Amino acid sequence: MTKKLEPPRVVGTLGASLLNLNGMIGAGIFALPALLYVGLGNFAPWAILLFAIPTACLAVAACKLSTLFDESGGAQLYVETALGKFTGFQVGWFVICASSTGRAANFHVLVSYLAALFPVFGGPVVHLVTVVACIAITTGLCVVGTKRSVGGLGVGTVLKLGPLFLLCAVGLATNGVPLTAELPTFTGLESVALLIAYAFSGFGASIGSAGETKNPRVTIYRSVIVALVGVAVIYAIIMWAYIAIGPEVGDGDIPLAAAAQKLFGDWGALMISVAAVFSIATNQLAGFIAFPRILYGMGESGLLPRFFAHVSPRFLTPDYAILSFGAFVALIAVTGTFATLATLLVAVEQIIFVLVLISFGVLWRSNFRGLKDATGPVWLIILPVAVAMIVWLSIQIPASAVLSTMGMIAIGAALYWLAQAGVRRQASELL
């Protein structure tokens, strides 16, 4: 009997941490400082550090569930196990839709930064062709090997964080650390809550690729916490440096480039622009490593046709899932429909978090794989804090997103029945 072909476990703690770190640090950090400063003033760095605490509670809950599974799939797998195939499919659909939209939008931002460096990329036709070419390159890199892709993340991480660390070191050494701050109004904090939530979005990128992670029940837990703490500290230091340097707040679209220009001159702005290109590129690569594994996991579990569970005999990667994800991202990028879904990203994320926490409760009650035995009294604090954060963020979401979210649920339901019909037809053909 032929042994089933599966992707090898090549991702260690460092690789998983890089996935999570690059899942969070993308385009946002190059645009958020001015917005956070306008909303919170000198309190912005402290707000980032404080916000990391409830985010960590939510991360720990997801990580605890990851210790129960060795397979890829992440939130989709946990929800399917606890709440059934239909709900599991909906979560998978939400994750793929949101992640594809985010990847498509970020590729447009990436090419816009390239156009700022090299005007030849500025024309509308060249811009679109370059977006598609970037998607194809990223897809191809992920198909040819997970280990190579993670290695690319390591190089890109150094190239994007190096200039940021230089900016922070010189800025703080020259101007001092502005540690004094006044407490903001609650309204001011609410006005930037979704922005800070967006900054931490992607903290669990490695969870979805558990099937290719060494000792995933330990590695994923450790890597998520390490990356989350590291990113919170990095964000706070960058924010302190931005405040200390004091660029014009009017340069809201490129605040760090404006800060670097004030500190170093034109070459400083160029340095940060190059770092932004590498930052967005590594964020995209992390997404292309993590999210196609959800399609692969759904194909493995029978939620989608077995087509998505195919593993390349040559590269030992879920090639059809990666290629399908890349095609979906390209379609959204070319048609521009990502703009209509952008406001749904945070809303969709909250729905996923709610279902993950409900799944946690269901699996805890049944003591699934010893979950109840492995949770102590501290969870009486962790889970309520995580729930409170989700409720608070959900209140901040515009009401206009509700109908669109319901539409996504309806589309997901239709896709579920179509997918199941395809799975049943495929099974009957094998008989």
Side-chain angles (χ1 to χ4, degrees):
M1 184 175 179
T2 305
K3 184 179 178 181
K4 178 186 172 185
L5 197 60
E6 294 180 344
R9 296 186 182 276
V10 296
V11 181
T13 301
L14 177 60
S17 298
L18 287 173
L19 275 173
N20 298 322
L21 186 145
N22 285 287
M24 288 182 276
I25 301 179
I29 191 56
F30 292 88
L32 288 179
L35 298 173
L36 295 181
Y37 182 71
V38 169
L40 300 175
N42 284 16
F43 189 75
W46 298 106
I48 291 171
L49 294 175
L50 290 173
F51 203 91
I53 296 173
T55 302
C57 290
L58 191 57
V60 166
C63 288
K64 192 65 177 179
L65 290 179
S66 77
T67 65
L68 308 178
F69 300 89
D70 293 325
E71 306 92 337
S72 294
Q76 185 279 320
L77 175 63
Y78 312 152
V79 173
E80 179 189 348
T81 303
L83 304 177
K85 287 184 175 295
F86 176 75
T87 311
F89 184 93
Q90 287 283 10
V91 169
W93 158 246
F94 281 167
V95 172
I96 292 300
C97 187
S99 61
S100 300
T101 300
R103 297 311 106 192
N106 282 348
F107 273 117
H108 280 281
V109 176
L110 173 62
V111 175
S112 295
Y113 268 102
L114 283 174
L117 296 171
F118 307 103
V120 68
F121 295 108
V125 175
V126 175
H127 177 100
L128 200 57
V129 171
T130 307
V131 165
V132 174
C134 288
I135 294 171
I137 292 170
T138 306
T139 303
L141 181 59
C142 291
V143 167
V144 299
T146 303
K147 192 171 184 178
R148 292 187 182 92
S149 301
V150 173
L153 280 182
V155 174
T157 301
V158 172
L159 292 174
K160 78 177 178 182
L161 291 184
L164 291 177
F165 287 159
L166 177 62
L167 174 68
C168 292
V170 176
L172 294 174
T174 305
N175 301 283
V177 182
L179 294 177
T180 58
E182 294 183 3
L183 288 174
T185 64
F186 188 71
T187 301
L189 188 58
E190 285 186 316
S191 68
V192 297
L194 295 182
L195 292 176
I196 302 178
Y198 172 77
F200 285 112
S201 179
F203 62 77
S206 66
I207 294 175
S209 56
E212 294 168 75
T213 303
K214 303 172 185 176
N215 193 14
R217 300 190 184 199
V218 175
T219 299
I220 289 175
Y221 207 136
R222 184 182 301 159
S223 68
V224 170
I225 301 305
V226 167
L228 185 59
V229 172
V231 167
V233 172
I234 290 171
Y235 281 166
I237 292 173
I238 290 173
M239 198 68 228
W240 271 313
Y242 174 78
I243 295 170
I245 296 169
E248 293 294 330
V249 178
D251 296 319
D253 292 336
I254 50 171
L256 292 187
Q261 184 165 30
K262 182 175 181 180
L263 199 62
F264 301 119
D266 290 340
W267 77 267
L270 177 64
M271 174 186 73
I272 292 299
S273 296
V274 172
V277 170
F278 281 108
S279 183
I280 299 168
T282 52
N283 176 263
Q284 296 294 79
L285 182 58
F288 268 72
I289 294 172
F291 294 120
R293 271 62 183 179
I294 295 172
L295 289 174
Y296 170 77
M298 292 171 74
E300 279 274 279
S301 66
L303 284 178
L304 287 174
R306 292 289 301 176
F307 169 87
F308 293 97
H310 182 269
V311 175
S312 167
R314 179 179 178 184
F315 301 115
L316 298 179
T317 55
D319 51 350
Y320 291 180
I322 296 170
L323 291 169
S324 298
F325 182 79
F328 192 31
V329 172
L331 177 64
I332 296 173
V334 170
T335 60
T337 55
F338 67 90
T340 63
L341 293 174
T343 58
L344 297 178
L345 295 183
V346 176
V348 167
E349 199 168 55
Q350 302 318 303
I351 293 174
I352 294 170
F353 288 154
V354 166
L355 291 173
V356 166
L357 291 181
I358 292 173
S359 299
F360 189 102
V362 171
L363 297 176
W364 179 89
R365 186 176 180 182
S366 65
N367 199 23
F368 180 79
R369 295 178 181 173
L371 178 60
K372 182 185 291 187
D373 299 332
T375 51
V378 68
W379 286 90
L380 295 176
I381 300 174
I382 293 174
L383 292 178
V385 171
V387 170
M389 188 187 75
I390 292 173
V391 171
W392 184 54
L393 287 176
S394 298
I395 293 173
Q396 315 307 318
I397 295 170
S400 59
V402 174
L403 288 177
S404 298
T405 304
M406 292 176 63
M408 285 183 62
I409 294 173
I411 293 173
L415 289 174
Y416 172 78
W417 297 116
L418 288 173
Q420 289 305 292
V423 170
R424 287 193 294 270
R425 184 167 54 254
Q426 189 178 64
S428 66
E429 290 173 356
L430 294 175
L431 296 176

